Every structure is written in C-alpha cells, then in structure tokens.
C-alpha cells in the first residue's frame, strides 16, 4: 500500500518464490521421524522373530491396516478441514448389513459390492447434511450417527449373522493381484496415490487446507465451504463402504458388531501420521507411514504372542507420545 | 410459559414425562413407583458419569477415558476384595483410584496443551491395557467376591437402594459445587469465554485439569458400583459406555463447544436414555432398537439445542426490532 | 496530587520484538488519562502488564506509593486494577449478577456463594451507575451497551481504584457512546483513576483530563489535555507532523459498472439501491451498526438478501455465494482482518491463488509454477515485504497481511472492489498510504466502494456518498452537498430544521 505501489513494479524488491529449505528442517519433519520409527520397528521385529522376514508373512501383516488406512485417507482430509467422523465403524456395520441383505435377496457379487458402497455414500450424505447443511458440530453429529447406523444394523440382525457370501465375493478380502500382493494391498496403494493427488495437487485439496486453517477467511476468499465439507463426508462414507466390502469379504460374514472400535484406530492412525487434530495441516504420506507402523507393530507383537490389548497400550502411548515429546522439547 | 421456552431442562423433563406417559397409557405398570425407582437405579451409573463428563465438556474438553477408568477402578476394587481388604477400606479407596488417572489426562491437556480428544483416546486404551497387565486378562467372577461386596449397592435404605442414594448424593454435591462455589462457576466461565476467564483471575488449564480429576473421581466411584452390581470384573466391562455418557450430556443440553450445561440437564439426559432402555422390553420392542433410538435422540437433541441457541443475527432495521 | 498508580522504567520484550522500553505512566484519582499511540506503540502490552497477564522484565509498579508486583490477574485485581475490554470480557451463559461477582462472590455459610446477597449487591451496583438491569438475566440476552454496563459494574464490584477502558466505544452506537461518557463522569466523581485508550481524537478531547503518549514502545510525553492541541498529539504519536491530506484524483469516471436495486434483508437492511461507475469511489457512511457492512456483504454473497437484484455491466447477476460474487467481478476486503482476511497457516502464494484455483489448474491438477507467477506478479505491484512467497502469511505484519488480501483480489481482475473500514485501527502514517492506493485503484478503472464511519475519510476520498441509518439509505450526497454537517445530520436522522425525526 505504498503510494507508488502500482506504478513502480520494476523498482519493487523481488521476493523469492521459496527459500532453499535447510536440510535439518527436512530431517526434522514428521514424516522423517515416522520413517525412523518404521525402520526401528521393522528392525526390532526382524531380530525378535525369525518368521518376520518372510514375504507371505509380511503380506499377511498388511491386512492389519489396509482397511483402516482406506478410511484413514478420507478421515485425514476431514480432520485437516477441521471436522471429524466418529461414525465410520458404524457405517461399516450398516454397509455390511446392506450387503448381507442384498446377498439374501439373491444378488450377485457386483450388486453386493454396489450395496455396500451406496450405503456408505448414503451414510456419508446424512453426516454431511447434518454438519454442512444444518451447521451442527461434527463430533456430536457423528457420535449420534455412530449409534444410529450400528443401531440399525442391530435392528436388522439382532444376534444373528449373515453368512454364505458367494465365492466370487471373497476376491476383495482374500484374493491376490500378483504373487504376495493382495487385492487389499493393491487397493491401498492405488488409494494412497489417488488421495495424495487429491489432497496435495488439486484445488479441492487446497480448499480443504484453507478451511481447516480458517473457515471464515476461506469463505471470504470464495471457497464453497459448505460444499467442500459435504463432499468430505461423502468421501469418508464411501471409503467406509469400501472398507466394509473388503472386511466383509475377508471375514466372509456380517455381524452387527463388526469393526467395533475401529473409528478410534482410524483416528489414531491419522493423528500418528502427523495430521493436526485441530485441523489445517497434515499429509497423506504421513498417514501411509503411520499405517505401516501400526501394521508392523501389530504383526510383530502377534508373532511374539503378545496379546492384542498390550499392543493397544503401545498404540495409545504412541499416540500421546508422538504429540507430547515434541511439545516437551519445545518447552525447554 | 417463559420458563418452558427458556429452560432446556424444563423442555427435556417435559419430553421425558410425555414419553413415560405414552408408555403408561398402554402399560400402566411402567409408572408404578417401584418400577420408576428401578429405572432410576438402573440409570445411576450413567447419571454419575454424565455429571463428571458434563464438567469436562463445560471446559471445552471431552473425556473419552471415563469408561476405561471405571473398568480400572472397578477391577482394583474387585482385587482388593479378593485380597481380603475390608469393605469400608475399599469404599474409601476406590474413589481415590480414579482421580490420578483423570489427573493424567488433565495434566497432559493443561501442561502440554494436547487436545483432550487425543489424550483421552490414547488413555482409554492405555487404562484398559493396564487392567490386562494387572490381571493377565483373567476375569474376577461372582464366586470370587464376598457377599458383602456384592450386596452393598442393592442394600435398601429408606426405600431406595444404596446405588440410588449414591447417585442422589452425587447430584446434590455437584449441584452445590457448580452453583455455589467459585471453582464451580469457574468451569462455566472457562468454557464460555477462556480469554475473559484469564482476566477474571481464573487459570484455564488448571480448571480443565481439575475437571478431569473430578470426572476421574466419579468414574472411580462408579467402578465399584458397577463391578459389585454386575458381580463380575474384566478388561472390557462398560466397553463403549463413554459414548452413552457423552450422549446423555448432549441430550441434556450440554454444548460440546463448552460453557453451557447444568447438573439437571446431564441427569435428565441420562434418565432419558434410561427410560428408553427400560421401556423397550416393556412395550415389546426388541432391545436391539435401543442403540438406534439413542442415536436418533442425540441427533434430535443437538439439532434442537442448536436451533435454540442460534445467534439471532444483527438486528438493525427498526421494524425488525419491534417484531 | 499523588498518583494512585505509577509505572516507572517498565520494559518488556518478546522474541524478536522490544514491546516496551523504559516507559512510565501515572494515573491520578478522579482523572481520566488518555493513552495515545499508534498501533504497535505498546498500548495493549501495558494493559496486559497492568492486569497481571504479562510480567515486565524491568521497572516498578507503585500503587498509592507502594511498590507492587502483579504476578497474576488475581494480584492485579486485588491491588484494585481492573480492565473493561472491547467485547470479549464477559460470559454469555452466566447471569448478570454472576458476571459481576465471578471470582469474588459474597460468601455465606460454609463458604458457599450467597446468591441472595450477590443479586442484591449486583442490583445496587447497577443502580449506582443508572442501569436498571435484572441481575438474573443471562448476559446473552443483553445488547452490547448493557453488557458494557455490566462490565463497569464488575469493575466497581472489586472496589477498583484504577479502571482501564480499552477502546470502549469500538462497538457502540452514537447514543450509547454518550451514555458511556456519563458513566465515565460518574466514575471520576467516585475518585477512580481511569486509563482511557482510544484511536478517536474527538473522544479523547471530550473526555480525558490528561494524556500520555507512547511511540514504538517508548514513552514520549505526558501532560494536561487543556495544554495541548490535536496537531501536537499527532506529532508526538508519529514523531513528525502529519496533515491528513487526501490524494487528489483525476475524475475520469466511466460507464456504469454496477447497479443494485431493492436489496432487502429481514433484519439487517432494506431498500438498498445505488449505482456505481468505472473509476468512481462511492463512500458508504454510517456509524457502526447502521447496516452498511451488512448490505455490502450481501453484495459479496455472504449475507443472503431476501430479495433484490444486481446488474454488473448491464448483465443481471444472481449472487448467492462468494464464489458467484467473484465470478461477477465483485470482491470484498473485510473489516475484520483477523478472522475474515488472509488465511493464516497457508503460505502467501496459496492465499493469493485461493479464489481462482481453477485458473491455476490444468486437467484438475494445480500448477505450482503458475501459482507462483500469479502471486509474484500481484504481490510485487503492492510492494509486499516478505522473506519468500512460500512464507506463512501469519508471520507477516498486519499491514503486509492486508496487502496479501488485496493482491488476492486484484489477481481476480475484479470490476468492483469493496473496502470495509479500510483504515480502522491503522496508524496515521499508514492511512495515507491506504488512501493513495484506493485512488490508484480507481484511476486504473476499478469501481471502488468504501464503507467507513470516519467522516474526513469519507469526504476526502469519495465522489459520492450514501448515508445509512438503521439499515436504510437515508441520503445520497455528491459534490458541494458533501459536508460534514450534512453527513452527521443524515446519519443522526435530523432534518433540515435541526429537529430529530
């Protein structure tokens, strides 16, 4: 706002696009820390168990995280935008129930899959409408729909279960694309790339960051804030539907209690991946690394016959530790 | 009628009364005093925890670790009982088990500024994990508990079980703390306007930490009640109960944004869920409906609360002022 | 007379900034001392030191001649220092009485709060300042002026000796400001020492007995108000003499760009209609709360009008969202820069390209080279000062953040730019630069709308002025008719004979 501002473009001092980032800054990044943790976990596992470094065993290990990670990618975008969806595990239950109903009605594999995906989409639309359309806080809305969606699954199924999915349906959760690369792992890899492009390389992804940093300012910059939020809930719903397809296919059955508590593991994965729970920052690469770390830790502990609950202590400590340690260091 | 349009608690009480009345039309037995008392007694743990949760939510935090804390305290009580510790000592000790765990949450939120949802998401798994480490995953069953240990919550004094008396005492105590002590008002102030609270001489972080300690204390107290009433203790007792607790608060008009909520609201929210839960078998609806109904109730409550508290916007036009 | 509170040699620094260096301040009982200084002079830091939020690194605080330390907000309150802040000090969900007594409520049996006594004394306090408010009402049910009264009652309740009023009139209407003046007189009569912080010179001259001037964190001067003139104070503030001179503009006004007709809103504005030509500057004058901002935000797609039409360059446009406004060529530089301006946390170049992400995308993917090119171009025109375009906007100074916002809009090649209170809270030195820049924009063929509640600015910058009152356009003035008297009369609703309508 210099008086000569517009006349003197030539005499204005040039601002460089970027400063060369100091190397130590790259090394101190969250992703670098996660890589170190991953290498340590991997090394520790290799030493601890002779069965760990086996292609088929490692391939089995990926089932620990692929379904959660599918949802975690969408959840990461949602959390970056300053929202949260705690209903994802319940969406899995409802989508799986819908697939069971479709199967009972005699549908083939394509229709069963479609039933799961469409149910996920519909659940996401309900969340999105309540949050973006009615302006309600997402944490309460999704605590409500978490209860509602799984509740409907319980109403339909009671203490029964759907079993007897067609053999072709098993492909999603039990099939292999090539050698040890499972269908789920391939899906995970494709989604990781897709979400990386969506979040970091498109205008939609940029809007997500803008909204997470300051939704009002984003609105005042011409971003369609409500529409972006709605789309994010749709995306999370559809990914939950996809996870439901994989999980149901892998288990071969549907119970209303399917995937109970998974929302917390998904959120943990996202936060461990360096996404700020307050919104505004995060990366897909971080979530991918976090998925691998959680998967390897689970698998390693499994090989050592460590009970699952001890593993969850570890995840809980990891979740608090990774946030607390940098803050403690900064205070010094 | 202004009290009805102004007070969320009055609206909720009316809703519960109407609901109970409708049930009574078909099933008069439901409103028999004995049955209503049973409903209250059944809702007692939820009421106690909802009050603790409300205080945490008032300060703009959330405590997802209450159910894990409850399970841990309950297990400690059961183990003390198994070790032959006399019941009065257990009763004194148990409410002291919860506060340190609540305090861990509080200190992480206060001193490190970690969002409470992350902290308690982590500690809820850690606390349950600690139970596993203590017990190696073993259950403590009814036959391993002394009769006195199991009987106390059911013991009827002046027509009400001890469980209900405890809930009533907690309601009274916290209504007093929240309404009539400086610290109690501070919880509301911290959530309502943290910036201004600092100027009023209130330490925001310390107040939040204190809220977690109180929530932990109530979880500890409930731990004994829960374990002795159901006569079993294991890692997963009250699994997922933290969400019922949050739901009771939301239905009771406690704003998740902090600064808005009353003891009466939390109690009524818990009672609403209790009435629904107890009414379903009576009116012959599958109990599997309970979860879906609770979900709908949460959504309706939050939509309703939001429509009540929506800012009216700037009123500038003169005719709008007169309207 | 002995000062009731005096500061000597106070210094306070933050990482990279020396906020206060060796400053002094004296406050006398029964007198209003105005603290004057540009933004960044250290006024808010001194308020935070006085209220115990910050602790100074050096210097002494004396209360009634006695050395004190304000280690916490409580310590400051106990020493009798209290602050009344802009809007954010009180608690909407608590009752009036509780707001007054929070933290020091009267105690009854068992140390519990004595509610009856609290209500009674709250009523007495409110009545003593002429406020007849029900102590049981929740604060959110009151208007801003009443909230102020509650804040003042709170100040009295702790038996304050020193009352700090930090921009107390910022959100008040004309009438409410006059009620506030009466209150200040009442406080003076009770022997309170008042520290009055304001940007508005007319207020300072109206109400203050003494002044203290800070500049760049240092003490400059103090004295009695009746010994000093407006020009002297300005010179002390900026360290040089500044006449408020507005840029002369070539009045080459072109075709009609924008025509607005019949914009209505249920509560905020009615019958907004005006037109605007290329190269023109339209002033929208009205005191805060007259509806000017609301009407303009409707034009930008933030507030949804209940009916109304708008034409841009002869084409009817329906604007239901900010995206549609931008597409129509209308952009808006908000008044609330902190909340609505730049997106802090995003780098500069991403802020600039935010409204037109499609333009810098190819096949759906953002092209970073194009983003940088766009940002480089427009930030250079505005002479932005930054380390790199990849720098977080939040790290820039307020003025530079504002430049990013304007660069963002100019990059969309708009037809109409709306500036809402463009110089509010800006120091005098920078105001002139903003005014010159607005003239530049108009000279380049943009149509400029400036919403302002400062009369000299409105008169100095505009070709035409529309005056708002209670959500309606009450007058449209141009040329010779644009006089301060005409603006004030129209805005206050006084007709030609000088009788209130």
């Amino acid at each position: 706002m210099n008086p000569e501002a517009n006349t003197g473009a030539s005499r204005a001092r040039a601002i460089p696009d970027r400063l060369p980032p100091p190397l130590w800054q790259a090394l101190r990044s969250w992703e670098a820390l996660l890589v170190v943790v991953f290498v340590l976990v991997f090394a520790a596992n290799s030493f601890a168990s002779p069965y760990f470094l086996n292609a088929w065993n490692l391939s089995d290990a990926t089932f620990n995280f692929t379904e959660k990670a599918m949802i975690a990618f969408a959840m990461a975008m949602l959390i970056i935008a300053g929202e949260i969806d705690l209903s994802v595990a319940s969406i899995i239950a409802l989508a799986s129930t819908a697939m069971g109903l479709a199967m009972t009605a005699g549908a083939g594999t394509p229709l069963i899959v479609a039933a799961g995906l469409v149910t996920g989409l519909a659940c996401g639309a309900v969340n999105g409408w309540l949050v973006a359309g009615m302006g309600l806080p997402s944490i309460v809305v999704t605590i409500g729909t978490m209860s509602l969606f799984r509740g409907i699954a319980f109403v339909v199924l009671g203490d029964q279960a759907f079993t007897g999915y067609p053999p072709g349906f098993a492909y999603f959760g039990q099939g292999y694309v090539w050698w040890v690369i499972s269908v789920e792992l391939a899906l995970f890899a494709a989604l990781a790339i897709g979400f990386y492009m969506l979040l970091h390389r498109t205008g939609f992804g940029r809007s997500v960051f803008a909204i997470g940093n300051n939704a009002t300012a984003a609105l005042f910059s011409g971003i369609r804030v409500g529409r972006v939020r709605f789309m994010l809930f749709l995306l999370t719903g559809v990914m939950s539907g996809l996870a439901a397809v994989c999980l149901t296919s892998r288990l071969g059955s549907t119970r209303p209690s399917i995937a109970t508590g998974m929302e917390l593991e998904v959120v943990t994965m996202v936060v461990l991946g360096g996404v700020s729970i307050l919104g505004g920052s995060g990366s897909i690469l971080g979530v991918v690394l976090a998925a691998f770390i959680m998967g390897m830790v689970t698998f390693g502990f499994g090989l050592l016959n460590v009970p699952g609950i001890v593993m969850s202590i570890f995840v809980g400590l990891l979740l608090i530790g990774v946030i607390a340690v940098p803050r403690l260091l900064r205070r010094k | 009628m202004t009290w009805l349009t102004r007070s969320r608690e009055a609206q909720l009480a009316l809703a519960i009364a109407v609901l109970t009345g409708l049930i009574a039309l078909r099933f008069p037995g439901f409103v028999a005093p004995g049955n209503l008392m049973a409903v209250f007694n059944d809702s007692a743990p939820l009421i106690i925890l909802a009050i603790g949760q409300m205080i945490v939510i008032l300060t703009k935090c959330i405590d997802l670790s209450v159910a894990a804390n409850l399970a841990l305290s309950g297990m400690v009580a059961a183990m003390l009982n198994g070790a032959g510790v006399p019941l009065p000592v257990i009763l004194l000790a148990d409410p002291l088990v919860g506060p340190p765990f609540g305090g861990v949450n509080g200190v992480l939120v206060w001193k490190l500024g970690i969002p409470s949802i992350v902290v308690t998401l982590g500690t809820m798994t850690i606390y349950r994990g600690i139970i596993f480490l203590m017990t190696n995953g073993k259950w403590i069953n009814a036959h391993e508990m002394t009769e006195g240990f199991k009987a106390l919550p059911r013991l009827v004094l002046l027509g009400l079980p001890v469980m209900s008396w405890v809930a009533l005492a907690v309601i009274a105590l916290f209504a007093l703390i929240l309404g009539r002590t400086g610290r109690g008002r501070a919880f509301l102030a911290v959530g309502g306007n943290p910036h201004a609270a600092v100027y009023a001489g209130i330490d925001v972080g310390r107040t939040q930490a204190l809220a977690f300690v109180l929530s932990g204390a109530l979880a500890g107290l409930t731990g004994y009640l829960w374990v002795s009433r159901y006569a079993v203790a294991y890692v997963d007792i009250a699994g997922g109960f933290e969400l019922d607790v949050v739901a009771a608060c939301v239905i009771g008009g406690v704003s998740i944004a902090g600064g808005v909520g009353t003891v009466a609201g939390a109690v009524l929210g818990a009672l609403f869920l209790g009435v629904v839960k107890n009414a379903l078998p009576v009116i012959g609806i599958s109990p599997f409906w309970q979860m879906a109904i609770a979900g709908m109730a949460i959504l309706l409550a939050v939509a309703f609360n939001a429509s009540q508290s929506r800012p009216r916007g700037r009123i500038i036009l003169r005719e709008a002022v007169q309207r | 007379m002995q000062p009731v509170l005096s500061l000597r040699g106070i210094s306070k620094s933050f990482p990279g900034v020396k906020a206060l260096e060796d400053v002094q301040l004296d406050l006398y009982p029964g007198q209003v001392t105005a603290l004057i200084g540009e933004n960044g002079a250290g006024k808010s830091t001194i308020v935070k030191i006085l209220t115990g939020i910050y602790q100074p690194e050096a210097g002494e605080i004396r209360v009634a001649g006695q050395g004190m330390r304000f280690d916490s907000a409580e310590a400051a309150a106990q020493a009798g220092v209290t602050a009344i802040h802009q809007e954010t000090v009180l608690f909407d969900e608590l009752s009036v009485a509780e707001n007054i007594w929070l933290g020091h409520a009267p105690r009854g049996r068992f140390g519990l709060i004595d509610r009856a006594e609290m209500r009674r004394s709250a009523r007495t306090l409110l009545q003593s300042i002429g406020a007849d408010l029900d102590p049981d009402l929740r604060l959110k049910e009151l208007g801003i002026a009443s909230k102020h009264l509650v804040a003042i009652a709170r100040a009295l309740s702790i038996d304050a000796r020193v009352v700090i009023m930090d921009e107390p009139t910022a959100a008040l209407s004309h009438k409410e400001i006059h009620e506030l003046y009466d209150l200040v007189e009442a406080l003076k009569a009770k022997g309170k020492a008042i520290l009055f912080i304001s940007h508005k010179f007319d207020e300072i001259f109206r109400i203050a007995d003494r002044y203290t001037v800070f500049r760049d964190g240092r003490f400059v001067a103090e004295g009695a108000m009746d010994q000093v003139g407006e020009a002297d104070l300005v010179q002390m503030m900026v360290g040089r003499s500044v006449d408020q001179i507005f840029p002369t503009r070539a009045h080459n006004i072109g075709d009609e760009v924008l025509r607005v007709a019949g914009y209505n809103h249920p509560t905020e504005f009615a019958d907004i209609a005006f037109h605007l030509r290329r190269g023109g500057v339209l002033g929208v004058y009205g005191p805060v709360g007259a509806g000017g901002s609301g009407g303009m935000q409707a034009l930008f797609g933030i507030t949804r009008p209940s009916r109304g039409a708008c034409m841009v360059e002869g084409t009817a446009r329906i604007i239901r969202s900010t995206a549609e406004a931008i597409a129509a060529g209308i952009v808006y530089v908000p008044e609330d820069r902190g909340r609505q301006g730049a997106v802090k946390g995003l780098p500069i170049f991403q802020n600039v390209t935010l409204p037109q992400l499609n333009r810098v995308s190819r096949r759906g993917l953002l092209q970073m080279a194009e983003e940088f090119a766009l940002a480089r171009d427009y930030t250079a025109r505005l002479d932005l000062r930054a380390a790199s375009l990849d720098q977080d906007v939040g790290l820039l100074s307020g003025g530079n953040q504002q430049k990013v916002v304007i660069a963002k809009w100019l990059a969309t090649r708009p037809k109409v730019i709306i500036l809402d209170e463009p110089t509010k809270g800006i120091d005098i030195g920078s105001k002139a630069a903003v005014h010159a820049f607005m003239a530049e924009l108009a000279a380049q063929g943009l149509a400029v709308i400036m919403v302002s509640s400062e009369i000299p600015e409105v008169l100095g910058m505009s070709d035409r002025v529309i005056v708002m009152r209670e959500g309606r356009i009450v007058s449209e003035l141009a040329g010779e008719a644009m006089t301060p008297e005409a603006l004030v009369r129209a805005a206050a609703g006084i007709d030609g004979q000088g009788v209130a309508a």
Side-chain angles (χ1 to χ4, degrees), chain C residues 14-142:
Chain C
F14 300 102
V17 194
K18 196 114 192 156
L20 287 176
E21 197 169 354
D22 193 22
V23 300
Q24 62 177 74
L25 178 67
D26 289 314
L27 302 177
Y28 295 90
Q31 295 205 353
V32 177
T33 303
L35 180 57
I36 304 168
E38 294 189 315
N39 282 354
K43 290 173 297 188
S44 54
T45 311
I46 207 87
V47 170
K48 291 201 165 134
I49 285 174
L50 283 172
T51 48
I53 308 290
Y54 291 163
Q55 278 68 49
E57 282 128 25
E60 57 171 4
I61 302 174
R62 291 183 165 275
V63 178
Q66 218 177 353
M68 293 277 233
R69 287 171 57 83
F70 293 171
D71 289 328
S72 64
E74 266 172 309
Q78 267 163 17
V81 180
T82 186
I84 299 168
H85 282 265
Q86 299 178 8
E87 305 137 48
T88 53
V89 275
L90 295 168
F91 307 96
D92 270 347
E93 284 292 328
L94 300 185
S95 73
V96 167
E98 284 173 339
N99 266 290
I100 294 174
W101 288 110
L102 184 74
H104 54 279
R107 297 304 165 104
R109 260 183 302 173
F110 313 116
L112 295 176
I113 293 172
D114 184 344
R115 287 212 240 186
E117 172 58 26
M118 186 166 84
R119 253 192 304 263
R120 201 162 36 242
S121 48
R123 198 184 290 280
T124 318
L125 271 172
L126 287 165
Q127 275 164 356
S128 77
I129 55 172
D132 191 21
L133 294 172
D134 179 356
D136 285 330
L137 278 182
R138 273 200 260 183
L139 198 74
K140 65 175 177 185
E141 295 172 59
L142 303 181

Side-chain angles (χ1 to χ4, degrees), chain C residues 460-487:
Chain C
M461 291 304 302
S462 319
D463 310 310
R464 274 185 307 129
V465 180
I466 57 178
V467 183
M468 304 277 303
R469 186 167 79 91
E470 290 176 351
R472 291 170 184 278
I473 296 179
V474 287
S475 178
E476 181 164 346
L477 305 165
E480 295 294 302
M482 283 169 40
T483 63
E485 293 74 25
L487 286 188

Side-chain angles (χ1 to χ4, degrees), chain C residues 105-421:
Chain C
R107 297 304 165 104
R109 260 183 302 173
F110 313 116
L112 295 176
I113 293 172
D114 184 344
R115 287 212 240 186
E117 172 58 26
M118 186 166 84
R119 253 192 304 263
R120 201 162 36 242
S121 48
R123 198 184 290 280
T124 318
L125 271 172
L126 287 165
Q127 275 164 356
S128 77
I129 55 172
D132 191 21
L133 294 172
D134 179 356
D136 285 330
L137 278 182
R138 273 200 260 183
L139 198 74
K140 65 175 177 185
E141 295 172 59
L142 303 181
I144 286 193
S146 304
K147 287 183 184 176
H148 256 287
L149 295 173
V150 176
I152 290 164
R154 174 173 174 84
L156 295 174
S157 76
I158 63 169
D159 205 18
R161 283 187 279 189
V162 175
V163 179
I164 300 166
M165 301 180 119
D166 190 356
E167 298 275 1
T169 61
L172 298 190
S173 72
H174 198 63
K175 178 166 163 280
E176 290 164 343
I177 288 174
H178 279 273
E179 288 169 3
L180 183 79
Y181 290 159
D182 295 342
L183 259 168
V184 172
E185 293 298 332
L187 291 177
K188 276 170 71 172
K190 289 185 192 215
K192 312 286 180 199
I194 296 161
L195 180 64
F196 192 86
I197 300 174
S198 174
H199 275 100
K200 300 181 188 164
F201 271 31
D202 56 337
E203 283 178 15
I204 292 167
F205 277 95
R206 166 84 166 67
I207 207 166
D209 305 296
R210 300 181 55 78
Y211 66 86
T212 293
V213 181
F214 284 5
R215 182 170 73 228
D216 299 331
R218 293 163 189 272
F219 169 82
V220 177
E222 66 174 356
M225 284 308 290
D226 49 19
Q227 315 273 314
V228 72
E230 198 164 313
D232 308 326
L233 283 180
V234 172
Q235 192 170 355
M236 290 179 216
M237 279 169 68
V238 300
R240 60 185 187 275
S241 145
V242 174
D243 289 320
Q244 219 176 357
I245 298 173
F246 292 94
T248 41
R249 292 178 32 223
H251 288 267
N252 48 347
I253 296 185
D255 300 334
E256 182 177 290
V257 179
L258 175 71
R259 176 170 286 272
V260 175
Y263 258 53
N264 277 281
H265 184 274
T267 62
E268 289 190 25
F269 50 83
D271 303 326
I272 303 287
F274 60 90
H275 66 101
L276 190 60
R277 288 170 183 278
R278 191 182 306 281
V281 177
L282 174 70
V284 177
Y285 172 75
V288 174
S293 286
M296 293 307 127
Q297 291 192 354
L299 209 53
F300 184 57
I302 298 278
T303 316
R304 188 82 55 91
S306 52
R307 61 197 156 86
C310 117
M311 273 167 80
V312 180
E313 290 186 333
T315 318
R317 292 283 199 162
I318 297 167
I319 295 172
R320 288 162 305 192
S321 69
T322 50
E324 284 173 343
I326 294 162
I330 301 173
V331 300
Y332 172 83
V333 180
E335 171 193 355
D336 184 350
R337 290 169 213 134
R339 242 162 42 85
Q340 304 170 345
V343 181
K344 291 173 204 162
L346 289 191
I348 295 167
F349 77 97
Q350 296 189 359
N351 263 283
V352 173
T353 57
L354 202 53
Q356 36 185 357
L357 291 168
N358 284 333
R359 184 175 150 196
V360 292
S361 299
R362 294 283 171 270
R363 275 173 272 111
L365 297 184
L366 291 168
Q367 305 297 310
M368 219 176 269
E370 289 185 33
E371 288 195 75
F372 276 117
L374 195 68
R376 210 181 300 129
D377 191 5
Y378 283 92
T379 52
R381 289 192 204 182
L382 291 162
D383 195 25
L384 179 78
R385 308 288 166 95
S388 80
L389 292 176
D390 199 25
Q391 195 180 2
D392 180 352
V393 169
L395 300 173
L396 301 179
S397 69
N400 277 310
Q401 288 184 13
Q402 187 74 341
K403 286 181 187 177
V404 172
V405 171
I406 293 174
K408 166 179 86 180
W409 290 135
L410 295 185
T412 66
R413 290 172 290 196
K415 303 185 180 85
V416 178
I417 185 163
I418 306 168
L419 296 138
D420 197 347
E421 301 282 358

Side-chain angles (χ1 to χ4, degrees), chain A residues 84-99:
Chain A
I84 196 164
D85 186 349
L86 295 177
S87 73
V88 287
S90 298
I91 296 179
I92 292 184
L94 189 55
S96 186
T97 306
M99 288 189 282

